[in-house]
Amino acid sequence: MMANPTRIASTSPVLEGQPAPSANREMPGAVKWADDRIGLAKIGRAGLRKVFPDHWSFLLGEIALYSFIVLLLTGVFLTIWFKPSMAEIEYDGSYQLLKGMPVSEAFASTLNISFDVRGGLLVRQIHHWAALLFVAAATVHMLRVFFTGAFRKPREVNWLIGVGLLSLSLIAGFAGYSLPDDLLSGTGLRFVDGLIRSIPIIGTWAEFFVFGGEYPGDILIPRLYMVHILLVPGILLGLISAHLALVVYHKHTQYPGPGRTENNVVGYPLFPVYAAKAGGFFFIVFGFLVLMGGLFQINPVWIYGPYDPAKVTAGSQPDWYMGWVEGAIRIIPALETHILGTTWTWSVFLPGVGLMGVLFTGLGLWPFIEQWITGDKREHHLLDRPRNAPTRTALGVAGMTSYAMFWLAGGNDIIATRFALDLNAITVFMRVAVFVAPVIAFIITKRLMLSLQRADRERALHGSEDGVIVRSPDGGYSEGHLPLSHEEQFLLTQHLQHRVLEPGAETDASGVRRKKGGVSKLRARLSRWYLGHDIAKPSAAELAAAAHQGSHSAHAVEDGHGAAGVDGAGINGIEGPRHGADAGHGPERAGLHH
Amino acid sequence: MSHDNLPVKDPDLGHSVPDPGLEPHVERYTDVDKGAGNRAYAAILMMLAAVPVLAIAFVVIYFAVPRDAYIDFGLLKANAQNVGFGLTGGLAAVLIGVAVIQWARVLMSDEESVELRHAASSTDDDRAAVMGLWDDGVEQSSVRRRKLLLGALGGAVGISLVPAVVLLADMGPHPTARLREETLERTIWAEGILLLNDENWLPIRPEMLEVGQLVNAQPANLRDLHGVEAHQAKAKAAIIVVRMDPNSIKVPESRKDWHVSGILAYSKICTHVGCPISLWERQTHHLLCPCHQSTFDLGNSGVVVFGPAARALPQLPITVNADGYLVAQSDFTVPVGPSYFERDSSQDFKDGDQ
Ligand code: HEM
Ligand code: FES
C-alpha cells in the first residue's frame, strides 16, 4: 500500500513543529535534570521535528559552513606551533635546502609544521584547501540564492549578512595567505601596501599605521595573525550564527511544485532525517578535505623560499578568490592626477579598493533595488525558477561574465605564455572584454530565458509532443501532443508575474492609495525594462480553450499570444499580508481565486 | 496553532491551474523488499566497521613510518606519512558520512512532512503591545519632561569616543613632512656607495658587463643593516644595472653624466605598487614587471611604455670610483616605488623631457 501524504495547508492537520506527543513518556533522568534548569523541552518541542526541504542546491551553504568548521579545527592545531614573528633567525630545521638561511620565525615555524611536526603538513594543507573551498562554496551558494530569488522579502537581512560573510572571508583568506612570510605572501603584502598607499588623502597615514612604519616593518605579521585567528573568525562566527538563526526563523525556502505553497514548507524533519543527512554530509566534506590535504600539495612555501623584498617570481598568483582584483589591477591603464601638489593614484585605487567596494555595495543593495523596480512587497518562500525572472538571471550571468573576464585578466601572463600570444594585445582585449562581454552575456541569457518561458507556455497549453509524426493528405507534417499531468501543468504556471509599473500611478499595485507621489518616470522605465518582456503565462481561460481545442484535434494550432508582454495581464506588485487587498488585477485574473 | 499569521493571505494568487496538492508518496525498494532493506543495512554496518580499521592504520602510520620517508611515483614525490594520514583519515571520515547519509536515505522513513510557515512579522497585537510598553518606558524615564537628558547623554557618549580613537594614534609613526623626508623620500644610496651584485655581493666593474646584460644590485652599505632595517632599506634600494649600446639609447641632456658608457642603473621597485621588477628584454630595452606587466623603456630613461604604472622608473646616477668600480653619485633624485598622496609626482621624468 502506498502511504498517503499529508495534504496541504489549511484543510489538513499539519505538523507545526509541535506535533502531538505520540506517547506519554517520562523524561530520562539526565534530560530531566537539564530541563529543570534550562527548559530544554520547550526548545526541543519547537525544533526537534522542524521541517527542512531537500535539494542539492541547498547543500552549497552547508559546504561553506562545514569548511569553516574544518578551518576552525585545523587552525587551532596550527596555532600550537606557528610563531607570528618577523624576527630573523637562522633556519635550522630538517629541510636541507634552506639550512642556515636567514628567515623569519614565521617562515621557520611554517617549515617546522610542514617537516618536523607529524601530521603538520596534512593539517596545513587541509587548512589551505578548506579556505579555498570555503570561499568557493560561499560564492556558489550566493549565486544560488541570487538566481532563485531567495533574497526577496523577508530574507533581505540574511542576504546582507551573507554579503558581509563573503567579504570577511576574503580578508580572512588573504590574512592567512600572508602569515607564512614566504616569497608569494610577501609579494601579496607588497601589493596591499601599494593598495593602501593609493587611498586618496589618508593613504600614506593608513600605510604607516597598518605597517607600523615603512614597508615591510616587523609588526605586520603579528597584527595579521590577530586579525586572522581572532578578529575575523570571531566576527565570522557571530555572523554565521545570526545567518543560521535567521534561516531557522524564516524557515528554508523551497522550490515550487505540487503542494508547495508560500504558506508551508515540505520536507524532512530535523530529527532524525535532516540531522542525519547534514551530519553525514559534514563528514563527507571533512573527509574530502583530508584526502585533498593528504594527496594534493598546496602552498609549498619551502619551494617559494623566504620573503626577500628584492625578489619576486614570474607568474606569481594570488589564491583564486583575489584573482579578479588582480586582473582589474593588471588591465587598468595608467592614471594619476595631480591637484595642488598632491598625487591621486587612480590606477591602483579604482581597480583595487573601488572595484571591491562596487561589487560588495552592489550585492548588498540588490534586493532593495529589485524591490523598488518591481514594486513587489510580498513575502516569498517559493523560489523562482531562473527563467521566470529573466532580467535578474541575465544580470546575474552578466555579473558572472564580468567577474570571469577580470579573473582571466589576472592570468594574462599565463595565457600569453601558454598560448604564445602577445601580452599587451591580451591586456587591451581584456580592457574591452570586461565591458562588452557582460553585455553580450546579458542579451543572450535574456533571450534564452524568454524562449524557455515561451516553451513553458507552449507546453502548458498544448502538452508534450508525442513523438509521432503524421503526414496529412495534403502533404504537411505535424506532430501530435499529449496532455500534461496536472502536476506539471501546475509547475509551469504557478509563478507570479508582476505588472510593469506605470508612471504617475496614484494607487500602488494593489489599489491602495499612495501617501506620497506616484511612480516616477525613471522607475516606470526601469520597471518596463525589467519586467516588460516576460512571456505571459497562460491564463486559466486560455488553458481551458486549449484543452477544448485539443480534444477536437490532436494537433495544436500555433498559439498567437506567445510573444505578448505581460502588461495588463500580469499580477501586480502585491502587498504583504497586512494590507491583504488584492484588487486591481487584469480582467483575465477575475475568478482565479477560488 | 494560529493560522492567521501566515506569510501570505492568498497563496493561490495568480494560479491558472489549481494546486494539485502533494504527489503521493512512493515506497522505496528497500521499504517493500525485505531482502533489499537488509542488504542496505549490512552495507551501512560494513562501512562503519571499516572506520576503526582505518583509525588504527592512521595511528600505526604515525608511529611506525619515519617522518622523512617519501613515496616516489616517478614525477610525483610525496611524503609517505602525509599520504598515509590523508588516505586513512580521509577515507574514514568519508565512510562515516556515506554510512549515515545512506541510513537516512534508505532506512529512515522518507515520507515528507508539511509544516506551516508564519509571517516574518510579529502579529498586530504584538506590535501594538510593544509600542505601548515602549511608551510606558519612555514615560517612566521622564525624558519627555526633562528634554535635555537625551541630548546630553548622546553628546557625552559621543565625545568619549574621541579618546578611544586617539588611543590608536600610536599604531604607527606619523608620516609628517619630516618623517616622509627620512623614509619614503630617501634610500640608503649616497655618493660613493659601491654597487654590489646581489648574487655574489661583489662590486661591479664596467668591463664585467656585456652589452645587453642586466644584473641586480644592492648598495654596499646594506650589509651594515640587519633585521627590519635591512628589509626596509632593501625594499627601496634594490636596483638593476644594465649595459646597452650607447648609440641605441636616448639619453636626455639632464642625465648625460648619469651613466658609465651605456651602463645605467634604475630602481628595481615598480612605480605601480612596488613589486621588484625582473623581466628584461634585451632587444627592445624593455623591462617588464611580473606583477601587473607594467613595461618600462630602460633605453629611454625608464619611461612607462605599457601597463598600469604611471611614473617612470627612477634612475640612479652612477659613475666609477678611483678603483674602477661602479658607485652611486648620490641618492635617487625622486622617491622610488609607488606615488603617494602628499607629493606631486607630475614633475618626475616624462618621455620627451630633457
Ligand atoms: C575563517 C576562515 C579562515 C580562512 C579563510 C583561513 C585561511 C588561511 C590560509 C589561506 C592560510 C595559509 C595557509 C598555508 O600556509 O598554506 C592560513 C594560515 C593559518 N591559519 Fe587560517 N584561515 C581561517 C581561519 C583560521 C582560524 C579560525 C585559525 C585559528 C584559530 C587559523 C589559524 C591559522 C594559522 C596559525 C595559520 C599559519 C600557519 C601556516 O601557514 O602554516 N585560521 N589560513
Ligand atoms: S607592481 Fe609592477 S606593474 Fe604592478
Side-chain angles (χ1 to χ4, degrees), chain A residues 16 204 249 252 336 343 578, chain B residues 1 117 120 124 339 342-343:
Chain A
E16 256 221 320
T204 317
Y249 178 65
H252 206 293
E336 258 182 22
T343 299
R578 220 151 285 289
Chain B
M1 279 318 289
R117 293 177 186 275
D124 285 341
S339 311
E342 288 86 350
R343 177 177 174 276

Side-chain angles (χ1 to χ4, degrees), chain B residues 43-59:
Chain B
I44 292 168
L45 289 182
M46 300 252 286
M47 285 189 256
L48 292 176
V51 173
V53 178
L54 289 166
I56 292 167
F58 188 103
V59 175

Side-chain angles (χ1 to χ4, degrees), chain B residues 279-290:
Chain B
L279 306 170
W280 169 236
E281 255 183 70
R282 53 174 78 198
Q283 264 80 36
T284 54
H285 300 160
H286 284 178
L287 187 70
L288 178 79
C289 177

